Amino acid sequence: MVIDIRPVRVPASLGTPDSAEFEAFAAFAEALEVEVHGNDELSYGADEMLVSYGDERYMMRCAFGAWDGDRLVGTANVVWDRDSGATTAFSTILGVSPGMRRRGIAGELLAVIERTARDAGKTTLVLRADHRIDQPDPGTERLRAPQGDASIAADEPAARFALAHGYSLGQLNRMSAMQVTGRAEEFGERLVGYEATSPGYRLVTWHDRAPADLIEALAHARERMSVDAPSGEIDYEQETWDAERIRAEEQQALDAGRRTIMTVAVGDDDVVAGYTQLLLAPRKRVAYQDDTFVLADHRGHGLGMRMKLANLVELEHAAPDRERVITWNADENEHMLAINIALGFEPVAVDSSWQKG
């Protein structure tokens, strides 16, 4: 058996002979998600992936496929920030079809993305994997990140693979979900109660595009989020954000059919003290709770809860078809986890980040 590992070319459009391999790559990535989670709630459609892989202004994304003849049997990707000072790359898709595992294909794919990252000047690579929440068996070994209380089984395939290839567990994130249908009134009442905790701040909510008068302050908050959020022992680097990058990200989401609901807290000096964002992917009945962040100088006023409640109220009004919200938090981020638990989020999975370099 000869496996051919080669780059997956990004086509100009879908539904053509030239797009067949890219569409197979997207379908394979979706199958990997369904295998772990039992549903396609977290998968990207080929149309969404085409937008992100086709835009290289700020992020570089490379896709690879492992082919047994004309059959795709494995996929991998590697992503990095195009800022000249960035030295860390990430892989969020790395997997092999069930019937082809334990034949060294994943290792070959890993070698390709490691070489690709190295050739691009990235000295550190981070692998990510998802894990179902399990009931720990007292007789089995567990792995814990340097910070936080969560753990995964040491004999999970992703863990064995990462450790065997020299990667160290740097962080565990908790994936949680919450039902939101019919809760707008509840969220609204709770929001009123939180307004008194932060009288020096006003909330501004918008869809898809930030108001021009807040975009520079929002860009500053995005930069701080990239390095101030809990990161375990993963080498996250400060990203460079400005108004142009904000607008590019907004347009990319719209081109991919994704809607965005964002709420920010604005201080008396017109600084964006914090923000929270919900993403609504096409063809899904869930919303993704993306970043929620409060700048260090503005913490302690209940802004995280207040902003989230405002966004949840808006979600119910703007997209009542979204039945659940899914969110991710560093396991060591006790404050944000406490907010989510108070809202009604319950853990459904864990994702791990492994670093080498």
Side-chain angles (χ1 to χ4, degrees):
M1 178 184 68
V2 177
I3 299 297
D4 178 22
I5 295 178
R6 60 180 184 266
V8 175
R9 193 176 66 82
V10 180
S13 60
L14 300 178
T16 69
D18 286 345
S19 70
E21 288 195 357
F22 186 85
E23 292 181 52
F25 173 83
F28 196 99
E30 178 176 83
L32 293 175
E33 291 282 358
V34 173
E35 182 181 355
V36 174
H37 300 288
N39 56 59
D40 65 353
E41 289 181 338
L42 302 181
S43 64
Y44 285 72
D47 52 346
E48 297 173 85
M49 293 182 74
L50 179 59
V51 172
S52 58
Y53 277 79
D55 185 348
E56 299 179 354
R57 286 173 291 176
Y58 298 100
M59 299 295 295
M60 188 68 191
R61 296 175 173 86
C62 300
F64 299 90
W67 300 86
D68 179 14
D70 60 358
R71 183 167 65 104
L72 183 62
V73 297
T75 56
N77 77 336
V78 61
V79 181
W80 62 85
D81 193 305
R82 298 202 69 174
D83 188 293
S84 59
T87 60
T88 301
F90 300 85
S91 179
T92 56
I93 302 170
L94 176 58
V96 175
S97 57
M100 299 293 287
R101 291 171 185 165
R102 297 185 178 276
R103 303 187 189 191
I105 299 172
E108 292 182 41
L109 284 163
L110 177 60
V112 169
I113 61 174
E114 286 180 334
R115 183 170 61 252
T116 301
R118 187 169 58 250
D119 290 347
K122 310 308 166 188
T123 56
T124 299
L125 182 61
V126 175
L127 308 179
R128 288 184 173 145
D130 288 352
H131 314 263
R132 296 176 183 174
I133 288 183
D134 59 356
Q135 294 299 321
D137 184 335
T140 61
E141 182 184 358
R142 307 290 295 182
L143 296 178
R144 287 176 169 79
Q147 300 173 22
D149 298 321
S151 67
I152 58 175
D155 63 353
E156 278 215 16
R160 294 199 311 268
F161 177 82
L163 292 171
H165 288 84
Y167 287 77
S168 299
L169 179 59
Q171 188 176 43
L172 291 174
N173 284 274
R174 187 186 305 182
M175 174 182 160
S176 306
M178 174 181 69
Q179 294 291 135
V180 294
T181 302
R183 298 181 63 190
E185 183 175 351
E186 171 200 340
F187 293 141
E189 291 174 353
R190 295 177 69 176
L191 175 60
V192 171
Y194 269 89
E195 289 174 354
T197 67
S198 50
Y201 301 87
R202 60 187 171 92
L203 299 189
V204 181
T205 299
W206 65 78
H207 292 224
D208 301 327
R209 294 190 182 276
D213 62 325
L214 292 176
I215 194 167
E216 292 290 353
L218 176 62
H220 173 70
R222 293 294 299 270
E223 281 196 354
R224 297 314 312 163
M225 169 69 189
S226 65
V227 288
D228 286 355
S231 57
E233 292 194 0
I234 300 299
D235 291 339
Y236 292 102
E237 298 159 310
Q238 181 165 320
E239 300 168 355
T240 301
W241 284 86
D242 55 18
E244 185 176 353
R245 185 168 182 175
I246 294 284
R247 290 296 186 227
E249 182 184 67
E250 291 171 343
Q251 190 59 53
Q252 188 181 97
L254 289 169
D255 290 345
R258 292 189 160 212
R259 292 176 288 159
T260 305
I261 302 174
M262 181 173 282
T263 293
V264 301
V266 182
D268 292 335
D269 52 0
D270 289 332
V271 66
V272 170
Y275 68 94
T276 190
Q277 184 179 46
L278 287 167
L279 298 179
L280 284 65
R283 302 177 295 274
K284 307 295 185 186
R285 301 192 70 82
V286 298
Y288 308 135
Q289 172 66 65
D290 204 3
D291 294 346
T292 297
F293 178 67
V294 178
L295 277 72
D297 291 344
H298 301 274
R299 292 170 187 165
H301 302 286
L303 290 175
M305 176 66 88
R306 187 179 167 194
M307 292 188 300
K308 282 196 171 192
L309 285 166
N311 241 21
L312 290 168
V313 170
E314 184 65 18
L315 174 66
E316 179 73 6
H317 292 319
D321 59 313
R322 305 291 162 146
E323 301 169 351
R324 298 200 307 158
V325 173
I326 298 174
T327 191
W328 295 260
N329 300 99
D331 186 60
E332 68 268 26
N333 192 351
E334 296 180 358
H335 177 70
M336 197 58 68
L337 286 170
I339 291 176
N340 286 340
I341 291 170
L343 286 170
F345 281 95
E346 297 181 349
V348 294
V350 172
D351 75 64
S352 58
S353 293
W354 306 80
Q355 180 168 302
K356 184 170 76 171

